[in-house]
Amino acid sequence: MQTIADLADEYAFLEPDDRYRLLIDLGRALEDMPDPLKTDATLVRGCSAAVWVYPTGTDDERLHFLADSNAAITKGIIALVLLTVQDKPPADILATDIEAELAPFDLKNQLSSNRTQGIPNMIALIRATAERYAAA
């Protein structure tokens, strides 16, 4: 799996159209999220497109997230967010500065505000999930 730093290096050299394609490809590479998991409870609020995020645990107490969106670019954004936290222990997720990890992608300036408005809510949902698992 590609690291967020490697991806940021690649992204920096791309033209805007290629950056869109990279995000779309990231979204396509996401693990399939079964339709029954796409419920009101897993829906991320505040996104212009529908985004669902469902946490699962792994055998070694790491969090794994399934996610999907009905918009290709948005699906790529959530894939990018997940790249910063996927399969990490809850305490490590809570210690991760997700916004700082995403900063090299300059998403707010690269994409429309409609595409990026839900990112803080995606991050908040992931942090809240990690907090619940860490407290358990």
Side-chain angles (χ1 to χ4, degrees):
M1 184 152 111
Q2 192 172 28
T3 68
I4 192 78
D6 291 341
L7 192 61
D9 288 343
E10 179 182 343
Y11 190 85
F13 288 103
L14 297 175
E15 296 295 324
D17 286 347
D18 292 327
R19 289 177 175 182
Y20 279 114
R21 278 191 278 285
L22 182 125
L23 287 173
I24 290 168
D25 288 345
L26 279 176
R28 286 183 181 143
L30 273 179
E31 182 178 351
D32 284 338
M33 181 178 188
D35 286 338
L37 296 178
K38 297 174 189 173
T39 67
D40 195 53
T42 62
L43 185 68
V44 178
R45 307 283 180 235
C47 297
S48 60
V51 175
W52 301 272
V53 177
Y54 182 81
T56 63
T58 63
D59 292 339
D60 57 355
E61 299 183 5
R62 295 172 182 268
L63 281 175
H64 183 82
F65 295 89
L66 298 176
D68 200 1
S69 176
N70 63 350
I73 297 284
T74 304
K75 189 172 179 175
I77 293 169
I78 190 62
L80 193 61
V81 171
L82 290 182
L83 193 55
T84 68
V85 298
Q86 193 72 288
D87 298 325
K88 290 184 179 180
D92 289 0
I93 292 171
L94 292 172
T96 299
D97 186 344
I98 299 170
E99 293 87 351
E101 295 276 343
L102 297 177
F105 298 91
D106 195 23
L107 295 173
K108 290 203 185 282
N109 291 318
Q110 299 294 322
L111 304 169
S112 71
S113 61
N114 282 350
R115 299 235 190 260
T116 59
Q117 69 187 13
I119 295 173
N121 296 350
M122 293 176 202
I123 293 170
L125 181 123
I126 288 166
R127 284 195 178 121
T129 301
E131 287 173 357
R132 280 196 314 275
Y133 276 80

